[in-house]
Amino acid sequence: MKTGIALLIAIAPMIAPITAHADKLFNKGKGTAWDCTKDPVVSINHGEGTYTFTGKCKTINVNGGDNKLTIESVDTINVNGGDNTVAIGTADTINVNGSDNKDTYKTAKSGKVTARSPGGGNTVEQAK
């Protein structure tokens, strides 16, 4: 019995990464509400969805077009599609690699939002 417990304790650090909580992935659907306290890293890999994110999100990746996102708080958002509309309460970094996306934020998490927008026709601005 002691040997079994010792073995379990010894292999627990190796098993933990296998059973660790994976990032939340949305591959299809019309959208949903998601609480980032459940999982703060989210990827959307489709278009035409409407999403609401509450809580503090670490990273949101958008890989599709015509999505509408409302986000309470995010450290980094990566928008890799086109024609997405993103409204953020508090943001730190906004990366927009697609085209014709509209990204707005209310407040900066750490003084000033870092915004990168190499795509064409994108807007990243502070909401008034």
Side-chain angles (χ1 to χ4, degrees):
M1 182 70 158
K2 288 182 182 180
T3 305
I5 293 171
L7 180 60
L8 182 59
I9 291 170
I11 65 168
M14 292 181 275
I15 294 173
I18 296 169
T19 61
H21 193 63
D23 298 344
K24 181 62 181 169
L25 181 62
F26 295 104
N27 283 322
K28 59 183 176 179
K30 296 290 183 184
T32 191
W34 182 255
D35 183 352
C36 283
T37 58
K38 294 178 183 177
D39 194 332
V41 178
V42 178
S43 292
I44 299 169
N45 293 328
H46 69 90
E48 300 179 0
T50 301
Y51 290 89
T52 301
F53 296 97
T54 58
K56 294 181 181 180
C57 302
K58 182 175 179 178
T59 304
I60 297 176
N61 300 301
V62 181
N63 302 306
D66 295 311
N67 290 295
K68 292 174 180 44
L69 283 71
T70 303
I71 304 165
E72 182 178 336
S73 176
V74 64
D75 290 347
T76 302
I77 182 163
N78 301 302
V79 181
N80 299 311
D83 296 311
N84 293 291
T85 302
V86 182
I88 307 166
T90 303
D92 195 28
T93 302
I94 301 172
N95 298 310
V96 186
N97 299 309
S99 61
D100 299 317
N101 294 288
K102 182 178 180 183
D103 299 82
T104 58
Y105 64 93
K106 290 183 183 174
T107 60
K109 183 176 180 180
S110 57
K112 184 177 180 183
V113 167
T114 301
R116 295 177 192 92
S117 180
N122 294 314
T123 59
V124 178
E125 59 190 15
Q126 188 167 13
K128 297 177 183 179

